[in-house]
Amino acid sequence: MSRPFKIEIAESEEELKKRLQTANLGNQKEKLMMLRWIKNGQVKEQQEIGQRLAKDTSTVTRWLQKYRTDGISGLLEIKKAPGAKRKIDDAAIAALEEELKTGKGFSSYGAIVDWLKQEHGQDIEYATVYAWVRYRLGAKLKVPRPQSHKQDEKLVSEFKKNSESFLIV
């Protein structure tokens, strides 16, 4: 038989019940149920909590230590990983935005990769540059199609006038 443990639960039973009803993560619900059982006096030992929750007693001990030191907010805290670091720094992104806004622009995404390497010293992959420019910055590299030198400009302008009247309908 393990030794009885003593812990004071600061929250009222009503507060624990409300928090349990609003908790949306299973891990948080288990922790709140544990606190509620201790507050009610339904459990007397850590082993019993572990058996009821199907958790190891070391897990229960860790949860209770966290509650003792940080309170209920520390116990229910959800930790989030920081994520990956950006491959393009903020200065390069701002300069790229300005360069895209100018009329000169770039002829291809490969040209942007080269520009970033020369101007900002960053060796960024083509796919990363494409994703940043196309989806995050919302820019499209539009280059007019080459036209034949054999085209008659008079016929082209007449076609444009006639096609505009069809589009207005």
Side-chain angles (χ1 to χ4, degrees), residues 36-51:
R36 195 160 172 226
W37 291 336
I38 294 169
K39 184 75 174 180
N40 288 342
Q42 292 179 0
V43 291
K44 303 288 184 209
E45 300 173 346
Q46 287 184 354
Q47 270 187 330
E48 192 176 347
I49 295 170
Q51 288 172 350

Side-chain angles (χ1 to χ4, degrees), residues 16-80:
L16 290 173
K17 185 176 180 181
K18 284 180 185 177
R19 281 188 178 233
L20 185 60
Q21 289 172 346
T22 59
N24 53 2
L25 295 176
N27 196 12
Q28 288 180 340
K29 286 182 181 183
E30 289 176 338
K31 293 173 182 179
L32 287 167
M33 285 184 346
M34 173 189 72
L35 293 177
R36 195 160 172 226
W37 291 336
I38 294 169
K39 184 75 174 180
N40 288 342
Q42 292 179 0
V43 291
K44 303 288 184 209
E45 300 173 346
Q46 287 184 354
Q47 270 187 330
E48 192 176 347
I49 295 170
Q51 288 172 350
R52 282 186 172 196
L53 294 174
K55 299 286 183 194
D56 191 52
T57 53
S58 62
T59 303
V60 175
T61 304
R62 205 172 45 249
W63 289 354
L64 291 172
Q65 288 280 347
K66 190 72 171 168
Y67 180 76
R68 282 186 183 109
T69 57
D70 300 334
I72 195 163
S73 59
L75 179 66
L76 300 178
E77 179 185 12
I78 301 168
K79 294 180 181 173
K80 187 177 179 206

Side-chain angles (χ1 to χ4, degrees), residues 75-152:
L75 179 66
L76 300 178
E77 179 185 12
I78 301 168
K79 294 180 181 173
K80 187 177 179 206
K85 185 183 169 207
R86 270 192 189 167
K87 294 182 180 179
I88 305 175
D89 64 0
D90 293 334
I93 292 169
L96 180 59
E97 275 185 292
E98 290 300 317
E99 195 69 25
L100 288 169
K101 287 179 185 175
T102 63
K104 186 174 72 168
F106 297 98
S107 61
S108 68
Y109 293 102
I112 297 174
V113 170
D114 294 338
W115 179 81
L116 283 170
K117 193 178 234 181
Q118 291 171 358
E119 297 292 321
H120 296 280
Q122 293 190 333
D123 191 19
I124 310 294
E125 292 180 7
Y126 179 92
T128 305
V129 169
Y130 178 83
W132 265 96
V133 172
R134 182 71 181 91
Y135 299 112
R136 293 196 180 183
L137 300 178
K140 292 182 184 178
L141 303 181
K142 295 183 178 178
V143 178
R145 289 182 168 188
Q147 295 181 351
S148 173
H149 65 280
K150 296 177 186 176
Q151 278 185 338
D152 186 8

